[in-house]
Amino acid sequence: MRQRRRFSWACACLLSLGQGCGGTQPTASQSAICAALSSNQTLLSANATVQCGGQDGRWSDYAAPQPGAVVTVGAEDDIATLVRLANALEVPFLLQSGANGWADTFALDTRGLVLDVSQLKDVAFNEARSQVAFQAGVLIEDLVAAAWQNNARVATGTCNCVSVLGAGLGGGLGRGAGLYGLGLDQLLAVHYVDAEGRQRTVTNASDADLWWAIKGAGPNFGLVTSVVYQSYAVAQADNTAWTGLLYFNDSAIEDIVGAIDRLALEPEMQLDFYFTQGLVAVLPFYLGDEATGRAKFASVLDIGPELDATAVTSYDAWNAAGDAFCAKGGRKPSYEANLQTLDPTAWRQVWDAYSLFYETYAEANLTTLLTECYSTAKMQEIGSAESAYPWRDIKCYSIVIPWYTSEALDAAANAFGQEVRSILSASSGTDAFSAYINFAHGDETLAEVYGDSLSRLQTLKKTYDPNGRLNQWFPLS
Ligand SMILES: Cc1cc2nc3c(=O)[nH]c(=O)nc-3n(C[C@H](O)[C@H](O)[C@H](O)COP(=O)(O)OP(=O)(O)OC[C@H]3O[C@@H](n4cnc5c(N)ncnc54)[C@H](O)[C@@H]3O)c2cc1C
Ligand SMILES: *[C@@H]1O[C@H](CO)[C@@H](O)[C@H](O)[C@H]1NC(C)=O
Ligand SMILES: *[C@@H]1O[C@H](CO)[C@@H](O)[C@H](O)[C@H]1NC(C)=O
Ligand SMILES: *[C@@H]1O[C@H](CO)[C@@H](O)[C@H](O)[C@H]1NC(C)=O
Ligand SMILES: *[C@@H]1O[C@H](CO)[C@@H](O)[C@H](O)[C@H]1NC(C)=O
Ligand SMILES: *[C@@H]1O[C@H](CO)[C@@H](O)[C@H](O)[C@H]1NC(C)=O
């Protein structure tokens, strides 16, 4: 039998009181939410755990929320219970799933509550593998593994450690984008807890306005507990792609960037490129056989990589190249710009800025520039009327990730991130600077993040969250 205490008053709680661990009685200096939870042990499901005090273990420690309590929920019902309790106590709260969100918009202070949903991991495919129901704690690696086992494919983001819904409620860019559209385009039904702590279900048929808003601005409208999502039946033997890293000498940057700028990405194609550890790497992806993949990416291959590590790869290993970026901890105040065009001169300036930062600050040696480019035809065919996601025509998303440990470097890192972003945005080929909500820093205007969807979203926010309880992530009110 599993032995698990309902409440584990973990060390963080008592450290803040200057005592050892082990007690179960909160004291007056604890947050109101901790005190309330400890005085009523029947409130939450048996599997829930409570930790008083702050937390670590997020992807970036920079601007990370510092809550008064973290409850790891044991069941979807716990989320509704906790929202009602937090509202009664007038305490701010934040749902946390993969803990990767890096934006500096979190406003939880030590009164606040984090609802950690990472234990909610149920995944169930239907018989035809055309649909999959899953819970909020399911990470991309979990869903990909389950899909692979079930001879299916799903459209998720590209990094294993990210929660499917954390990515998907704001967009969800990944290898399936060319064939299937964004993560949020896969949603068929959403079960959520509203700002008042009521459990609801929304579909396109039930409430078209809210359905539209949740797909692009989800965290502003509800705490999504589980969803039904589209899935595509693909036998394991057919579920392979040609992909892998190509390493280049940095003298090739202008050629690489020019080739990517001219490359028409077909639905089966996707491409990332990185500046990392002083190197230039390109990651082509082709959903098909190697010979065709090489032909489709010939303009990049012809530049002459110094190392070609591409191979035919099975679906359950497609995301492996991103695992290095998943490493948790450290400070990573990241910035992004949406790009329609890639300008070789600008990218030389970006390389120079990257090299200078990387070489000047030894501890920032994991600093990375990550650019992801997509085929946009399917996303555009689905169209903006179906969701609040505003950037369906954007080809490339370029993220600068300063990565270091000491707070003393914050100012230099932010200056570097802003400098790179401004070089990129000045040459982006878009009408105005814009950023994808899940990659944005938090210093953008709301229009730069929500685009043409902003005013409709703000109107809907007044209806669905009139008291601004769901205001931690690029708040709309
Ligand atoms: C290493 C790395 C790789 C990435 N790769 C991709 C990628 O390939 N494609 C892509 O599109 N994005 C990608 N992203 C960006 C990613 O989409 C965002 O960081 C996303 O916000 C992370 O969600 P999370 O649940 O993992 O993190 P969290 O920090 O737990 O959540 C981020 C925000 O989303 C909210 N949220 C999460 N789940 C829910 C829910 N169920 N209901 C309501 N609100 C919710 C949280 O409250 C929080 O405000 C990547 C990020 C990192 C760090
Ligand atoms: C504890 O919570 C339960 C369920 O919400 C409620 O019925 C009960 O009255 C609460 N008890 C106390 C002491 O607050
Ligand atoms: C509690 O968690 C265990 C292990 O994760 C699981 O087997 C069990 O079903 C859970 N109980 C409830 C009531 O959810
Ligand atoms: C959603 O509903 C609207 C009508 O409210 C309809 O025009 C649209 O086609 C529906 N979308 C889907 C994907 O069914
Ligand atoms: C890159 O190419 C330049 C010019 O061709 C050469 O001088 C340099 O040594 C090369 N760098 C590496 C790391 O191979
Ligand atoms: C990066 O810097 C850290 C901390 O200074 C150091 O421990 C590590 O070895 C360095 N890694 C590389 C690849 O240089």
Side-chain angles (χ1 to χ4, degrees), residues 277 362-363 365:
Q277 302 195 16
E363 67 164 290
N365 59 14

Side-chain angles (χ1 to χ4, degrees), residues 433-450:
F433 164 72
S434 63
Y436 166 39
I437 189 166
N438 284 341
F439 294 159
H441 181 81
D443 64 340
E444 301 82 358
T445 67
L446 289 178
E448 287 165 347
V449 169
Y450 291 109

Side-chain angles (χ1 to χ4, degrees), residues 20-38:
C21 286
T24 58
Q25 292 306 309
T27 76
S29 63
Q30 278 180 330
S31 64
I33 196 91
C34 264
L37 288 167
S38 70

Side-chain angles (χ1 to χ4, degrees), residues 2 47 74 119:
R2 196 181 152 80
N47 276 351
Q119 280 193 52

Side-chain angles (χ1 to χ4, degrees), residues 277 358 361-366 403 405:
Q277 302 195 16
Y358 173 80
Y361 302 103
E363 67 164 290
N365 59 14
L366 293 172
W403 186 333
T405 49

Side-chain angles (χ1 to χ4, degrees), residues 39-43 81:
S39 70
N40 190 339
Q41 311 248 321
T42 59
L43 221 45
T81 304

Side-chain angles (χ1 to χ4, degrees), residues 83-137:
V83 169
R84 289 196 300 270
L85 179 64
N87 283 346
L89 296 171
E90 297 182 12
V91 159
F93 58 85
L94 169 71
L95 182 148
Q96 176 175 297
S97 183
N100 293 292
W102 67 65
D104 69 5
T105 63
F106 296 125
L108 278 193
D109 54 32
T110 53
R111 294 177 310 137
L113 169 68
V114 162
L115 294 87
D116 178 346
V117 301
S118 61
Q119 280 193 52
L120 301 182
K121 293 277 197 191
D122 287 354
V123 177
F125 284 83
N126 68 355
E127 185 121 1
R129 293 109 77 217
S130 59
Q131 295 184 8
V132 55
F134 64 90
Q135 291 184 303

